[in-house]
Amino acid sequence: MPQHLTPRLRLTRRLFALCGPCALLIGSALLLMPQRLAGLLAIDHGNDTVLATLYAAVLIAVGLVCLAGWRQPQRHASLLLLVGSYKGIAASTLLARYCLADTTPLPLAALLLALAYALMAAISLWLYHSLQQELANG
């Protein structure tokens, strides 16, 4: 790793290194075995896996984008806004479903995923804001 990276850029690099492979792994698993992964998250899409395939494509794209951010965090710092927004909306949606579910409770796997996404969203958005200030100050 280059020595000229600030502590925040090093943290950004670590976050991308965590998010990228995870998104690639989950996206690939969803693409290859959509029924099994959907079952873990209590998603019933019947035999139609079109939405699972589209979501898998999004996850794989996010994973690839994060790998670009890992390689050059200072050049791709704006990707933190994408990752933070995406994971924040996903976490909010899952947590709202968990809190408001009156029939089928959200499985533990989905709750843990929501909490992990919320944490990654908070860190990503904090880093984005901090790096924007850091870059503006030179």
Side-chain angles (χ1 to χ4, degrees):
M1 178 180 348
Q3 295 293 340
H4 65 279
L5 293 180
T6 66
R8 285 193 180 109
L9 283 172
R10 284 194 298 271
L11 183 58
T12 299
R13 193 167 194 216
R14 286 186 193 114
L15 182 71
F16 283 138
L18 173 69
C19 291
C22 288
L24 286 171
L25 182 66
I26 294 170
S28 297
L30 189 58
L31 190 62
L32 297 173
M33 44 189 183
Q35 301 288 0
R36 178 172 224 158
L37 204 57
L40 285 174
L41 301 174
I43 299 170
D44 181 17
H45 51 66
N47 293 327
D48 188 358
T49 58
V50 171
L51 289 178
T53 302
L54 291 173
Y55 185 56
V58 168
L59 285 173
I60 291 169
V62 167
L64 293 173
V65 163
C66 285
L67 292 179
W70 171 76
R71 290 194 66 209
Q72 294 181 314
Q74 63 275 42
R75 185 172 183 185
H76 300 292
S78 61
L79 295 175
L80 291 166
L81 185 59
L82 169 72
V83 171
S85 299
Y86 160 71
K87 297 212 180 276
I89 291 168
S92 300
T93 304
L94 284 171
L95 290 172
R97 181 169 173 229
Y98 176 77
C99 294
L100 301 174
D102 56 347
T103 55
T104 307
L106 200 63
L108 181 60
L111 179 59
L112 292 175
L113 182 66
L115 294 174
Y117 271 23
L119 179 62
M120 285 190 274
I123 293 170
S124 296
L125 294 173
W126 172 78
L127 276 170
Y128 175 76
H129 177 71
S130 297
L131 286 172
Q132 293 307 306
Q133 288 180 332
E134 192 174 282
L135 292 173
N137 294 335

